[in-house]
Amino acid sequence: MEVLYRENILDHYRNPRNEGTLEDADISHELDNPLCGDRIRIDIRLKDGVVTEARFSGRGCVISIASASILTEEIVGKSVAELHAYRDEDMFRLLGITPGPVRARCALLPLQVLKEGISRLRDEEQSLRA
């Protein structure tokens, strides 16, 4: 079974889904992993609090690129509240593997980008209400 998950990860790395950027995205956030140099940006377009489009760009290892590709596929159609509820275990479930400590940071970078982007959106919405 692990071989199937590895093949899926390699496929997402070689043929990333949703690669690119979105102009006028509702959420756009970028982070890097200073330990390995991976850098991931995620752009999201929302309608009524639900993801209608998601794109990613950046550079990184097989795990970080595959994670970004898989995550952007997963989140389309989800509400911001559902995205906010995602945990590390959810990302590992999507990947189909639990990487070791060093690779876990790579696998979780796209999720961290997503969560921080959501937090920034919520902060901006709150400041507009104030």
Side-chain angles (χ1 to χ4, degrees), residues 20-114:
T21 59
L22 291 172
E23 293 295 320
D24 301 319
D26 297 295
I27 298 173
S28 184
H29 195 64
E30 182 174 329
L31 291 172
D32 66 346
N33 179 347
L35 297 177
C36 66
D38 292 356
R39 179 177 256 340
I40 299 291
R41 171 183 163 161
I42 293 182
D43 296 326
I44 296 174
R45 197 165 283 141
L46 301 168
K47 181 174 183 180
D48 299 324
V50 174
V51 177
T52 59
E53 290 181 84
R55 299 281 183 273
F56 83 93
S57 57
R59 65 181 189 286
C61 67
V62 171
I63 296 290
S64 65
I65 297 298
S67 293
S69 176
I70 291 168
L71 185 63
T72 56
E73 277 192 322
E74 172 74 12
I75 63 175
V76 173
K78 302 274 195 282
S79 70
V80 172
E82 288 174 296
L83 300 181
H84 187 69
Y86 272 65
R87 301 287 176 246
D88 295 355
E89 299 77 29
D90 297 315
M91 192 70 236
F92 296 145
R93 178 186 49 77
L94 291 172
L95 282 171
I97 61 169
T98 302
V102 174
R103 287 291 177 220
R105 291 183 133 202
C106 300
L108 296 173
L109 180 60
L111 181 59
Q112 183 182 2
V113 172
L114 175 67

